């Protein structure tokens, strides 16, 4: 029983740490704000969720303590972290941060330009 | 520029309750685990601040129509009363009492008058935080 529990814990925490490292590499390597926000908001969310799940499993299976706070933290981060990424990307776009030269399509451009023109009127 | 913040407002409606419940939990857990009136009050202020960020000051004022200065005064009053109460029974100021009671739904739980003092701290922190934020954020 402890062997299975420990394997689960080690796997989940390792996956979490791996994803956090991937996030860091992504933030350092990717060309512009939007791709960095993409890297940061997605894989950190998964990484942190995985680490929290590992900690939760450790306390539940090895220590016999069912921590509701960790579950609540998982749900909370799962809801809020993508919203944070979304808001940062939106704020960057509306305040006119440069896109990378590799960008092909931009469907938001007309909408935001139209809204800005209407605001000036 | 008129912004479209449906995503922020919808998540705020869900997340507010999670933060608020967690702040209540932190407040009541303070006696045996880390937490207490101060952190609970700050978390509640954080939840209200999230509402202020997603909606505007006027909407939040309409939803919570109290003057937060009165909340501060109420908290101080509760703290003062719970600390002065033992003086009626020839005990020193700030003496606290506790006991184990068999409550109908909660089972055996220990009730402590320090919780009431903590309630005062909680109300003072929420009131002071919200007063500061509303004063700095508002026009008047």
């Amino acid at each position: 029983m402890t062997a299975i529990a420990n394997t689960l814990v080690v796997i989940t925490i390792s996956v979490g740490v791996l994803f956090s490292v991937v996030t860091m590499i992504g933030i350092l390597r990717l060309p512009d704000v939007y791709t960095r926000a993409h890297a940061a908001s997605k894989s950190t969310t998964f990484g942190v969720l995985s680490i929290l799940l590992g900690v939760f499993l450790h306390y539940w299976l090895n220590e016999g303590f069912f921590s509701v706070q960790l579950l609540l933290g998982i749900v909370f981060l799962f809801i809020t972290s993508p919203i944070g990424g979304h808001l940062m990307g939106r704020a960057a776009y509306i305040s006119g941060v440069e896109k990378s030269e590799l960008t092909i399509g931009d469907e938001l451009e007309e909408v935001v330009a139209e809204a800005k023109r209407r605001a000036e009127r | 520029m008129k912004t479209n913040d449906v995503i922020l407002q919808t998540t705020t409606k869900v997340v507010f309750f999670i933060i608020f419940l967690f702040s209540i939990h932190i407040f009541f857990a303070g006696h045996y685990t880390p937490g207490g009136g101060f952190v609970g009050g700050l978390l509640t202020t954080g939840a209200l601040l999230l509402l202020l960020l997603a909606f505007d000051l006027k909407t939040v004022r309409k939803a919570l129509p109290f003057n937060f200065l009165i909340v501060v005064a109420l908290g101080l009053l509760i703290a003062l009363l719970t600390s002065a109460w033992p003086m009626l029974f020839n005990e020193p100021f700030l003496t606290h009492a506790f006991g184990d009671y068999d409550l109908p739904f909660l089972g055996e739980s220990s009730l402590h008058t320090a919780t009431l003092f903590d309630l005062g701290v909680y109300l003072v922190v929420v009131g002071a935080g919200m007063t500061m934020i509303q004063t700095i954020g508002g026009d008047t």
Side-chain angles (χ1 to χ4, degrees):
Chain A
M1 186 61 205
T2 8
I4 302 172
N6 280 336
T7 319
L8 270 177
V9 170
V10 166
I11 287 176
T12 42
I13 293 187
S14 307
V15 166
V17 170
L18 204 70
F19 268 77
S20 303
V21 172
V22 167
T23 308
M24 188 200 66
I25 296 173
I27 289 175
L28 290 177
R29 297 278 301 173
L30 287 172
D32 65 348
V33 179
Y34 310 106
T35 46
R36 280 182 204 151
H38 163 79
S41 60
K42 264 185 203 153
S43 57
T44 345
T45 312
F46 184 70
V48 174
L49 290 196
S50 191
I51 292 175
L52 282 180
L53 191 68
V55 175
F56 170 74
L57 287 175
H58 170 74
Y59 274 105
W60 186 28
L61 300 173
N62 293 338
E63 315 267 331
F65 174 66
F66 191 89
S67 170
V68 184
Q69 295 180 13
L70 280 170
L71 285 183
L72 198 65
I74 290 174
V75 173
F76 187 78
L77 271 178
F78 189 69
I79 298 173
T80 52
S81 170
I83 304 298
H86 158 78
L87 286 174
M88 274 188 281
R90 231 173 75 105
Y93 193 92
I94 291 175
S95 55
V97 176
E98 289 289 312
K99 297 187 284 283
S100 155
E101 287 164 9
L102 299 170
T103 311
I104 300 171
D106 186 356
E107 289 171 353
L108 198 58
E109 197 166 21
E110 302 160 17
V111 184
V112 172
E114 172 69 28
K116 276 186 181 166
R117 225 179 309 122
R118 212 178 295 155
E120 278 166 18
R121 228 185 282 148
Chain B
M1 179 175 164
K2 190 174 178 301
T3 48
N4 173 15
D5 38 9
V6 180
I7 297 182
L8 179 62
Q9 291 185 348
T10 315
T11 30
T12 301
K13 282 175 198 160
V14 178
V15 162
F16 171 76
F17 289 104
I18 300 180
I19 307 178
F20 189 65
L21 281 179
F22 188 60
S23 76
I24 301 289
H25 166 77
I26 284 273
F27 170 71
F28 280 111
H31 199 65
Y32 292 113
T33 50
F38 186 73
V39 197
L42 278 185
L43 261 172
T44 308
T45 318
L48 295 176
L49 182 59
L50 184 66
L51 279 187
L52 280 172
L53 280 178
F55 303 93
D56 55 348
L57 201 61
K58 217 188 279 174
T59 320
V60 176
R61 278 232 175 99
K62 207 193 273 175
L64 299 165
F66 2 94
N67 186 355
F68 281 96
L69 279 175
I70 293 178
V71 176
V72 175
L74 196 69
L76 285 174
L77 193 69
I78 289 175
L80 183 68
L81 283 180
T82 46
S83 24
W85 184 250
M87 292 169 83
L88 293 179
F89 303 100
N90 284 330
E91 298 281 344
F93 187 67
L94 272 174
T95 307
H96 286 293
F98 78 100
D100 292 321
Y101 297 95
D102 208 7
L103 294 179
F105 290 107
L106 303 171
E108 188 170 318
S109 35
S110 65
L111 301 176
H112 200 295
T113 52
T115 313
L116 292 173
F117 188 81
D118 234 19
L119 182 68
V121 175
Y122 176 87
L123 289 178
V124 168
V125 170
V126 171
M130 286 308 288
T131 310
M132 271 186 256
I133 291 163
Q134 285 189 339
T135 318
I136 295 173
D139 291 333
T140 49

